[in-house]
Structure formats: structure tokens, C-alpha cells
């Protein structure tokens, strides 16, 4: 074992994984810490080439400008993983951790194969004592496994820290530049304080929370589960409102003005999507079961059950309102990303809604301002039997031409200003608008003479 760990200052950071988390996070670190050289590596050469081009691979408001400021100065994107590991005194692991599709825990547990491969590569290539930071969201006690890999495969000392990311897509730069808190979990106080020093360049010290490594790993899963739970709670009440003439906006306003509850994450909609919520809750459920906590597992699982129900419920409702069958009918799907201001479609509710509609025989025409037609096709490729029913349009009005219904699945700002009085003239007679995000100008839609359904509102007779 090589001793003399000199952790006082981090000067060279390497991040493995140039995705939605690694890319934006490292760009902001480089921008805020000009004295640190930051290298982001990925085995996906196409992705790295895109990061080095004028068309960065992620749509994220504000990211372009940050990358342009730092790239080539102290921010570098590369495929030379080995060299970047060798030169680093701190390595962030920011690789994907999807839900396992086979083997023990399939459908629930996080698949750690990318993290394990990443740790093995670090152990193989490192040329000095190094701080290793878990940035990806990982099951509680993963740090133990990672440490084992290092101890078995390397002569150097590695301090494993957990520094989970709380950025939300669409607001990533704002969240990174002005976070509610930064969380750093670790055993070795010198390593922890070296990483605290990095964030302290732009984040107030009192916002940097240090914990033990297990609390940090768990807090990330718990934070996502709590947020998702709020969405499922308000969505359950949306269905209740639709049945009772209570109004979801009024209910949410009352709930949100209670300072104990707070106003955020109370927007009823089509259900949550994104790469984190479902995956992290499934992981939490799996871990609880592993520890014999059956009731705790069932409690959290219900958040997912409610989310699945909301997506299916709204898709079925569209079919019902269109006379009980959509066979041969044309439906414009407005928005495909899992929320606005991102081109990410992972776990997007639109995938599930399109599935139901295509399987019911509808012709589906998708428009999303930032998701390409190819991406939509790829996300629905498993429905190959229905591929002739799936089309794309290059604007919302174009998607609505000849449509029996338009269904809004992503709350893009531009949908607020659709000129329905002109769009209606191109739609079928008696056409419907389904506002599954409650984000449109409803008075305008009604004046245009369209039938309207809004999530959380009792339809007027
Ligand atoms: C989430 C967490 O917010 C973030 O802290 C974590 O690091 C990663 O997971 P993200 O998935 O990017 O971020 O988006 P988020 O803004 O949390 O939205 C998740 C989903 O919930 C979206 O589909 C969104 O449309 C939905 N949502 C959110 C609602 O339906 N209603 C709300 O009130 C809030
Ligand atoms: P996230 O949303 O967590 O950032 P992404 O899938 O967008 O997830 O990004 C993860 C990135 O990590 C991908 O670009 C993938 O190619 C990369 N990756 C996964 N494993 C490795 C590895 N062992 N070495 C280098 N890059 C990796």
C-alpha cells in the first residue's frame, strides 16, 4: 500500500461519463474553478465529438454558453479514458445505472455493471492515490463494493466519496450554479474537505452538507422518492377533482400555501418521467425488500403504481372521449420529452401514451420542439407492428392537420401560444384538445369551438 496521501488540493478532475449529469456538472465546475483542469471522458466517441462541436449533445438552457466559456481553457472532452485517469487526483464516476433487466433483482435493482467496469478501469489505470467520487445515483452501500474492487486491483489508496447530483434537467445550469445544497458523504475527512473546497469556490459553505457515505447514498434515493411521491399524490387528487367539480389548481394553491407543505411539485399532469424517479424508487423498493422491510417497500411502490395508472387512465380517457374507439383516427401528440426544456425522453409518459393509442389503432403524429423524429421512432421501435401508424410533424399546427384530437404531453412554453382559432379550421369536425399538463390557454381553446379536457378539472357538460 502506497502511503503519503496528499489530498490538500484538487487540481485535476476527470469525469467518466459525458451524459446529462457528467456533462453539465463538469462544465460548471470548470467554469467556476479556473485553477482546476477538468477532463470529461466517455467511451461513446460520437458523444465526445458532439461535446467538442458547435452542437453539444444535450439541450439544456444556458449550457451552451458555459461550455463555450470553459472548453479548451480548462475543460476538455476526450475518449482517452486511461490518460485522463492517470492524470487525475479526483475522478467522478458519472456513468449510467439503469434498472436491471435480467438476473437477481431484474426490474427493480440498479444495474451496476457500468459502475463496476468504471471502477475496474480506474484501478487498472490510476498512477497515484486518488479521490473517487460517486456522482451517479447508486444503491446504499455501493461504496463498499467499489472499495473492494480498488483494494483487490490496485496498489494505490482510493478514498470513495458520495456526491450525488440534485440537478433537474431543464434547469441544470441554474441548479448547479445556485444549488439548494451540495451533499458530500465520506469517511476520510481530508478527502471530504478537498471536495468541499472545490464547491466552496462558488457555493456558500453552509449549503455544503457533509455526512457519512451511506447517508449520502440514501439521501439521494430518498429525495427523489419524496419528490415523486408528491407528483403521485397530486395526480391521485387530479382524478378525484375530475369526478367532483373540485378544481386541481384551487386545491394545489391551498395545499401549497401551507408552509409545512410548500408549493413546489404540486402540478398535476400526465405522470412523472425522466431517468431518475422511477429507477430510484424501484431501487429503494428492492433494497427495502432486501432488508426484510416488506411494508416499507410496498409503501414506496405505490408511488410507481399511481404513476402508471395516471398515464394509462389518461390514454384510455382519450379513447373514451373519441367515442370508444380510435381505430383509424388521427391524434396529434404535442410534446414527447419527459418535461419541457430538455431533449431527454427517458421514461417519458409520452412513450406509454403513444403505446396505448397505437395499439388501439390510432394514427399518431408527434411534434416535439427538441426531440427528433428519429428519436421518437427509436423510443417506439418495440411497436414495430404499428410503425406505419406513427408519423412526425415539424410544428404543432402541422401535427394537428386532419386530427380528431390533440393531446399535450409536455408543457413546452410554445404550446401556450398555439393559435387554436386557426388550427381548428384544419382539424376534423368536433375535434378535441386534451391538456394532460394543464398548461394551455383554455378560454382560447373553448372560443375556437374545440372540445376541451383538462387534467384535474371536471369536464363541463
Ligand atoms: C429529478 C430531481 O428533481 C433531481 O433533483 C434529481 O437529481 C434527478 O431527478 P428530473 O428528473 O430532471 O430531476 O426532473 P424533475 O423536474 O424532478 O421532474 C420529474 C418529473 O416529474 C417530470 O416528468 C415532471 O414533468 C414531473 N413533475 C414534476 C410533475 O408532473 N409535476 C410537478 O409538480 C413536478
Ligand atoms: P446520466 O443521465 O446519468 O448522465 P447518461 O446515460 O446520459 O446518464 O450518461 C452516462 C454516460 O456514461 C454515457 O455517455 C456512457 O457512454 C458513459 N459510460 C458508461 N460506462 C462507461 C465507462 N466504463 N467508461 C466511459 N464511459 C462510460
Amino acid at each position: 500500500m502506497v502511503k503519503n496521501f496528499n489530498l490538500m488540493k484538487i487540481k485535476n478532475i476527470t469525469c467518466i461519463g459525458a451524459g446529462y449529469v457528467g456533462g453539465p456538472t463538469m462544465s460548471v465546475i470548470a467554469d467556476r474553478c479556473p485553477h482546476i483542469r477538468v477532463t470529461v471522458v466517455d467511451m461513446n466517441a460520437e458523444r465526445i465529438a458532439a461535446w467538442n462541436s458547435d452542437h453539444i449533445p444535450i439541450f439544456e438552457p444556458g449550457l451552451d454558453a458555459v461550455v463555450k466559456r470553459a472548453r479548451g481553457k480548462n475543460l476538455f472532452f476526450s475518449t482517452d479514458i486511461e490518460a485522463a485517469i492517470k492524470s487525475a487526483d479526483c475522478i467522478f464516476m458519472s456513468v449510467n445505472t439503469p434498472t436491471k433487466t435480467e438476473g437477481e433483482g431484474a426490474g427493480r435493482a440498479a444495474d451496476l455493471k457500468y459502475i463496476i467496469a468504471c471502477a475496474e478501469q480506474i484501478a487498472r489505470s490510476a498512477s497515484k492515490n486518488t479521490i473517487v467520487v460517486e456522482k451517479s445515483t447508486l444503491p446504499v452501500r455501493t461504496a463498499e463494493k467499489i472499495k473492494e474492487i480498488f483494494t483487490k486491483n490496485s496498489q494505490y489508496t482510493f478514498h470513495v466519496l458520495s456526491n450525488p447530483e440534485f440537478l433537474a434537467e431543464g434547469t441544470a445550469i441554474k441548479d448547479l450554479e445556485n444549488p439548494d445544497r451540495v451533499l458530500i458523504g465520506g469517511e476520510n475527512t481530508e478527502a471530504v474537505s478537498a471536495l468541499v473546497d472545490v464547491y466552496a469556490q462558488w457555493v456558500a459553505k453552509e449549503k455544503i452538507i457533509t455526512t457519512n457515505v451511506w447517508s449520502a447514498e440514501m439521501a439521494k434515493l430518498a429525495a427523489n422518492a419524496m419528490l415523486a411521491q408528491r407528483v403521485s399524490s397530486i395526480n391521485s387528487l387530479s382524478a378525484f377533482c375530475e369526478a367532483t367539480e373540485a378544481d386541481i389548481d384551487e386545491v394545489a394553491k391551498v395545499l401549497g400555501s401551507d408552509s409545512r407543505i410548500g408549493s413546489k411539485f404540486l402540478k398535476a399532469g400526465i405522470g412523472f418521467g425522466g431517468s431518475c424517479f422511477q429507477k430510484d424508487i424501484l431501487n429503494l423498493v428492492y433494497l427495502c425488500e432486501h432488508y426484510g422491510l416488506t411494508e416499507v417497500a410496498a409503501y414506496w411502490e405505490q408511488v410507481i403504481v399511481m404513476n402508471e395508472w395516471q398515464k394509462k387512465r389518461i390514454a384510455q380517457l382519450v379513447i373514451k372521449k373519441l367515442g370508444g374507439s380510435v381505430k383509424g383516427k388521427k391524434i396529434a401528440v404535442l410534446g414527447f420529452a419527459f418535461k419541457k426544456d430538455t431533449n431527454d425522453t427517458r421514461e417519458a409518459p409520452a412513450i406509454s401514451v403513444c403505446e396505448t393509442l397505437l395499439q388501439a389503432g390510432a394514427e399518431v403524429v408527434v411534434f416535439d420542439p427538441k426531440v427528433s423524429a428519429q428519436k421518437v421512432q427509436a423510443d417506439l421501435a418495440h411497436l414495430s407492428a404499428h410503425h406505419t401508424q406513427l408519423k412526425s410533424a415539424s410544428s404543432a399546427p402541422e401535427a394537428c392537420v386532419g386530427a380528431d384530437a390533440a393531446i399535450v404531453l409536455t408543457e413546452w412554453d410554445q404550446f401556450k401560444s398555439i393559435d387554436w382559432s386557426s388550427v381548428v379550421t384544419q382539424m376534423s369536425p368536433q375535434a378535441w384538445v386534451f391538456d394532460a399538463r394543464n398548461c394551455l390557454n383554455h378560454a382560447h381553446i373553448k372560443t375556437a369551438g374545440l372540445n376541451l379536457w383538462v387534467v384535474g378539472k371536471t369536464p363541463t357538460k
Side-chain angles (χ1 to χ4, degrees), residues 295-359:
E295 288 76 10
V296 184
Y299 177 77
W300 287 108
E301 188 159 31
Q302 196 56 32
V303 174
I304 304 273
V305 172
M306 184 56 61
N307 198 50
E308 291 303 311
W309 179 73
Q310 182 79 342
K311 292 183 279 185
K312 286 274 164 349
R313 170 178 95 80
I314 294 179
Q316 291 300 341
L317 187 139
V318 170
I319 297 173
K320 196 170 151 212
K321 295 277 183 200
L322 293 183
S325 168
V326 288
K327 207 165 170 39
K329 292 198 171 136
K330 187 168 167 184
I331 300 178
V333 164
L334 305 185
F336 200 82
F338 81 95
K339 64 176 197 177
K340 74 171 182 176
D341 290 342
T342 179
N343 60 348
D344 196 351
T345 61
R346 286 177 292 179
E347 305 297 341
I351 297 174
S352 156
V353 173
C354 287
E355 252 170 36
T356 306
L357 296 175
L358 289 168
Q359 279 163 347

Side-chain angles (χ1 to χ4, degrees), residues 16-17 19-21 42-43 47 81 94-96 114 121 346:
I16 304 180
Y20 282 91
V21 173
D42 203 296
M43 58 191 182
R47 212 166 201 184
I81 303 176
S94 209
V95 300
N96 33 336
Y114 300 106
Q121 199 159 9
R346 286 177 292 179

Side-chain angles (χ1 to χ4, degrees), residues 6 15 38 59-60 87 89 93 122 195 286 336 365 394:
N6 182 7
C15 173
V38 180
F59 171 69
E60 188 61 59
S87 64
D89 32 42
M93 295 194 290
I122 294 172
L195 189 56
Y286 176 75
F336 200 82
V365 187
S394 53

Side-chain angles (χ1 to χ4, degrees), residues 146-166:
I146 293 173
K147 265 190 212 155
E148 260 172 46
I149 294 174
F150 292 146
T151 315
K152 256 193 219 154
N153 299 294
S154 175
Q155 55 169 322
Y156 297 107
T157 303
F158 297 87
H159 287 309
V160 180
L161 306 180
S162 167
N163 169 221
E165 191 49 74
F166 292 107

